Amino acid sequence: MTRFQRWALALTVPAAVLAIGLYVFPIFQVLALSFLEPKPGFGNYVSLFGNAAIGRVVRTTIIVSVLTTAITVVLAYVVAFAIVQMPRGRRRVALFLVMVPFWISVLVRAFSWITILRRNGVLNTVLTEAGAISEPLDLVYNQFGVIVGMVHYMMPFAILLLVANLGDIDRRIIQAARSLGAQPATVFWRVWLPLSLPGVSIATLFTIIFSLGFLVTPAILGAGRVLMIAEYLSVQISSTLRWGVATALSTLMLVAVGLLVAGAMRHPAMRAAFGGGRA
Amino acid sequence: MAFLDIRRLRKSYGAAVALGGVDLSVEEGEFITLLGPSGSGKTTLLMSIAGFIKPDEGGIVLAGTDVTDLEPEDRNFGLVFQGYALFPHLSVRDNVAFPLKVRKWEKRAIAERVEAMLALVGLDQLAARKPRELSGGQQQRVALARALAYSPRLLLLDEPLSALDRSLRETMQRELKRLHRETGVTFIFVTHDQEEAYAMSDRIAVFQNGRIVQIGAPRDIYRNPASRFVAGFIGGNNLIRARFSPETGTLSLLGREIAAPQHFDVALHHRDGDVSAWIRSEDIAIGGAEAGFESFDVTVIDRAFIGTGERIAVRTGDDEELALVIPDGAADAVVVGAPLQCRVRPDLIGFLLPD
């Protein structure tokens, strides 16, 4: 090992200690609790599978996450596609606007959506006064409201991931397609889309993993009617004190996400995304 | 009217003029090269012909039809890029089939044409490969096959050989000439390499600052450069300053005073006595005066072996630097730092119009 490498290694030690002490160790604690609390054995895991309430929570989580991911990736692709076509100056402004939500607390964003979506909120008032509807629509405190809030939260991440990928695509390949006689729709479906698959897959994976763990947004916009895993865990831990069930469910979710990532990494497009954008 | 007519094409980016009123006529089946240093407008002109750059003024007429406002996809031209721009997600076969599929050819016809095109460029064995599994020269051939598959009316080539190494470049030059002969398609080729331009073109258009400053057959441009810029850019020329004395009718150049040769035009070639002249490197020989030659004294400043011979750099009595190319073995007596006598035929000295 050279002097430089020894120094570099030494510099990683504090971060490693923090990560192990505050992250890896608690995870093992969770794992241990799931087998030990309230009494040693697989009881917690067995009870998970027979429990109808937990089944509902898991199903809600999956449905909401999949819908959020699908909507987020499609909308983000449209925005990212528009951004990479812009001239440099406008592109900077657009990216700045995409990042604005990052500065606003997730709590504030959730309550803003309530103001907009509730029965006598901004949207329903406008639609009623315009004569488009006679009765206010139920836009919040249900799955729809939760998905709106989550899509809004995830969009900037997905947009930035896709802009990075779409911006890397060699424009000469697009020009080549046009010079060969491909009309705009053909260029999009046959060239842009296949070349952006690595970006799309990484944005999808990122969004779905994030969505599975959402707590604040579904709690506020769902108002207890759209119960997702994170909120369920929080209730088990802080209110009902069923730590065994909560830790077992956390462990299962961690394993599920791990399997999802491992499975995704087997796909060539995903490997390309991590290997530098080669399709 | 010519096959392709480009009229007074102008394009500016803010204050920067990319094309300053370019006129160009190309005959059907011609191989024409746009030659110039980077930023001289040659690629801007090519991309305007392809339709990717909209000119501010002027028009492009192909076979009697104005194509100036047509989108690139509607022009039916072939375009080969410097980096080849193959579709990385498609196999060689699908790359070549792409323009045929978008033209909604029948499946059988596509398969037949793809096979014929790959045979034409010698890649029939590699049809199933992806572009990244090919060498640079092979990718270049795929790009050519793809751009020629639909029998385009024009093939536009943007420095397609500049990424290849020297030996491969010569092979590809021959390959391009063969494709040009066998397909009969009109080729418009952009390069900054004058040797490449000489080797392949029927005609060369030399670009400087967004204008064509000279157009003609390679031999004509080499023998009669129209300006100081062309004489310097096309290579092999020594540019020298001379003075004309009207009273005696003599030129002082290379540290000598010689009688103005026949082709020196007193009215055209000087401005207040200043004359720009050029001498080709291979027209200067080592040795003393002989009938029909003028000799002059120089100091040797460098010798360089260039394979086919030696390139000698010398300084003349009037402080001009000259390069001369002599056959290998003829330079044995040349010593760096030592004086030397050279000779040149006055009728081979070229004179330029004042800039």
Side-chain angles (χ1 to χ4, degrees):
Chain A
M1 222 189 315
T2 67
R3 228 176 111 90
F4 174 77
Q5 283 170 328
R6 271 200 302 275
W7 266 105
L9 195 67
L11 287 174
T12 63
V13 168
V17 168
L18 276 178
I20 292 170
L22 299 177
Y23 196 74
V24 179
F25 178 67
I27 283 181
F28 278 109
Q29 248 184 328
V30 165
L31 192 62
L33 277 175
S34 72
F35 287 107
L36 299 174
E37 187 78 19
K39 56 178 191 284
F42 292 92
N44 288 323
Y45 290 92
V46 174
S47 76
L48 284 185
F49 287 97
N51 189 323
I54 291 178
R56 252 196 324 277
V57 169
V58 170
R59 202 170 325 118
T60 306
T61 306
I62 291 174
I63 291 173
V64 170
S65 298
V66 167
L67 284 175
T68 299
T69 303
I71 296 168
T72 301
V73 171
V74 170
L75 291 183
Y77 195 97
V78 173
V79 176
F81 192 72
I83 287 177
V84 298
Q85 315 288 341
M86 291 176 185
R88 190 174 307 195
R90 234 191 294 166
R91 189 170 168 162
R92 246 201 307 262
V93 174
L95 281 174
F96 174 79
L97 293 176
V98 166
M99 305 229 249
V100 165
F102 281 139
W103 307 336
I104 303 167
S105 134
V106 60
L107 223 54
V108 174
R109 277 189 266 172
F111 284 117
S112 307
W113 277 115
I114 288 180
T115 314
I116 295 170
L117 298 176
R118 67 196 158 129
R119 280 183 76 83
N120 51 354
V122 178
L123 194 59
N124 271 319
T125 311
V126 169
L127 288 176
T128 314
E129 278 174 14
I133 51 172
S134 50
E135 276 286 292
L137 300 171
D138 285 322
L139 300 174
V140 74
Y141 306 133
N142 55 19
Q143 198 162 296
F144 177 84
V146 171
I147 290 175
V148 167
M150 283 171 61
V151 166
H152 181 233
Y153 186 87
M154 290 312 302
M155 281 281 282
F157 296 100
I159 290 172
L160 291 180
L161 285 170
L162 285 167
V163 163
N165 169 256
L166 290 174
D168 268 353
I169 292 175
D170 186 350
R171 290 320 173 78
R172 283 180 305 188
I173 294 174
I174 307 301
Q175 289 191 330
R178 295 186 64 192
S179 78
L180 293 167
Q183 299 295 325
T186 313
V187 174
F188 181 79
W189 291 110
R190 296 268 190 85
V191 186
W192 272 113
L193 202 58
L195 289 182
S196 53
L197 273 187
V200 170
S201 32
I202 195 162
T204 305
L205 186 67
F206 188 86
T207 312
I208 199 145
I209 290 174
F210 241 81
S211 303
L212 289 171
F214 259 74
L215 172 62
V216 175
T217 308
I220 295 173
L221 293 173
R225 270 168 264 179
V226 186
L227 200 57
M228 289 177 66
I229 288 178
E231 192 184 354
Y232 182 81
L233 291 178
S234 135
V235 171
Q236 300 310 313
I237 288 183
S238 52
S239 308
T240 59
L241 301 180
R242 289 164 60 202
W243 284 42
V245 172
T247 49
L249 190 52
S250 308
T251 307
L252 271 192
M253 186 153 133
L254 191 67
V255 169
V257 168
L259 288 176
L260 190 65
V261 173
M265 289 305 288
R266 296 174 67 88
H267 193 274
M270 190 63 85
R271 277 208 298 271
F274 285 99
R278 286 181 306 276
Chain B
M1 189 160 57
F3 176 63
L4 174 72
D5 249 315
I6 294 162
R7 293 187 203 134
R8 279 186 281 291
L9 218 59
R10 283 179 189 282
K11 178 72 188 177
S12 304
Y13 296 98
V17 178
L19 290 177
V22 169
D23 288 285
L24 180 66
S25 291
V26 181
E27 296 302 329
E28 186 153 21
E30 204 175 2
F31 192 133
I32 190 158
T33 296
L34 314 181
L35 175 68
S38 56
S40 60
K42 55 194 195 304
T43 298
T44 308
L45 179 62
L46 195 82
M47 285 302 170
S48 305
I49 299 173
F52 288 108
I53 292 175
K54 295 275 173 256
D56 301 332
E57 273 176 57
I60 300 168
V61 177
L62 183 80
T65 317
D66 190 330
V67 299
T68 319
D69 296 322
L70 278 187
E71 292 297 325
E73 54 267 33
D74 300 324
R75 292 197 181 195
N76 206 24
F77 297 169
L79 181 54
V80 176
F81 293 83
Q82 193 171 348
Y84 321 131
L86 299 176
F87 302 124
H89 58 297
L90 299 180
S91 66
V92 166
R93 180 182 288 116
D94 290 335
N95 262 280
V96 178
F98 184 91
L100 308 175
K101 282 185 187 155
V102 306
R103 282 172 175 75
K104 307 224 178 341
W105 282 32
E106 271 186 56
K107 256 198 164 117
R108 264 233 337 258
I110 291 179
E112 277 170 20
R113 174 57 67 92
V114 169
E115 203 156 310
M117 291 313 297
L118 289 178
L120 181 68
V121 295
L123 285 181
D124 19 4
Q125 305 300 315
L126 305 176
R129 296 247 186 118
K130 287 279 175 68
R132 65 168 176 275
E133 300 164 331
L134 301 179
S135 71
Q138 290 168 336
Q139 291 187 33
Q140 181 61 267
R141 285 164 212 262
V142 178
L144 284 164
R146 186 178 68 172
L148 287 167
Y150 46 103
S151 307
R153 296 188 286 182
L154 274 180
L155 184 67
L156 309 170
L157 303 113
D158 185 14
E159 308 225 11
L161 307 184
S162 60
L164 303 176
D165 63 47
R166 196 184 167 86
S167 60
L168 193 54
R169 203 162 357 165
E170 279 171 21
T171 315
M172 285 308 297
Q173 284 178 10
R174 281 200 302 277
E175 191 78 11
L176 276 174
K177 279 162 80 172
R178 181 179 65 83
L179 287 174
H180 177 242
R181 260 195 325 271
E182 289 181 10
T183 59
V185 173
T186 309
F187 277 36
I188 301 182
F189 183 90
V190 161
T191 183
H192 60 264
D193 180 335
Q194 78 279 0
E195 281 179 33
E196 212 165 270
Y198 288 147
M200 294 194 287
S201 329
D202 294 322
R203 281 194 304 156
I204 297 173
V206 185
F207 277 72
Q208 180 191 14
N209 297 334
R211 290 171 191 279
I212 295 176
V213 288
Q214 187 170 10
I215 183 160
R219 215 166 247 106
D220 293 339
I221 289 189
Y222 186 67
R223 293 210 173 134
N224 292 306
S227 70
R228 199 176 164 76
F229 169 80
V230 178
F233 185 71
I234 59 175
N237 279 323
N238 293 295
L239 293 173
I240 53 175
R241 296 269 167 208
R243 276 219 47 98
F244 176 66
S245 312
E247 311 82 47
T248 52
T250 57
L251 285 166
S252 89
L253 78 176
L254 302 170
R256 289 276 322 274
E257 193 78 15
I258 65 166
Q262 287 268 305
H263 64 287
F264 180 76
D265 189 318
V266 175
L268 279 181
H269 287 141
H270 79 107
R271 177 187 288 161
D272 303 332
D274 282 327
V275 177
S276 284
W278 51 268
I279 310 173
R280 281 190 296 267
S281 298
E282 64 272 25
D283 290 342
I284 306 173
I286 295 175
E290 251 180 50
F293 284 85
E294 294 286 348
S295 70
F296 53 99
D297 295 315
V298 298
T299 312
V300 180
I301 51 180
D302 189 38
R303 279 178 63 168
F305 179 62
I306 54 166
T308 51
E310 282 203 55
R311 187 196 311 279
I312 315 280
V314 299
R315 183 170 288 120
T316 64
D318 57 347
D319 214 29
E320 297 274 4
E321 273 184 28
L322 301 179
L324 44 149
V325 174
I326 54 175
D328 196 20
D332 292 344
V334 176
V335 179
V336 175
L340 187 70
Q341 209 171 32
C342 292
R343 63 171 177 243
V344 65
R345 276 169 53 188
D347 57 320
L348 292 180
I349 299 175
F351 298 101
L352 297 166
L353 301 178
D355 287 331

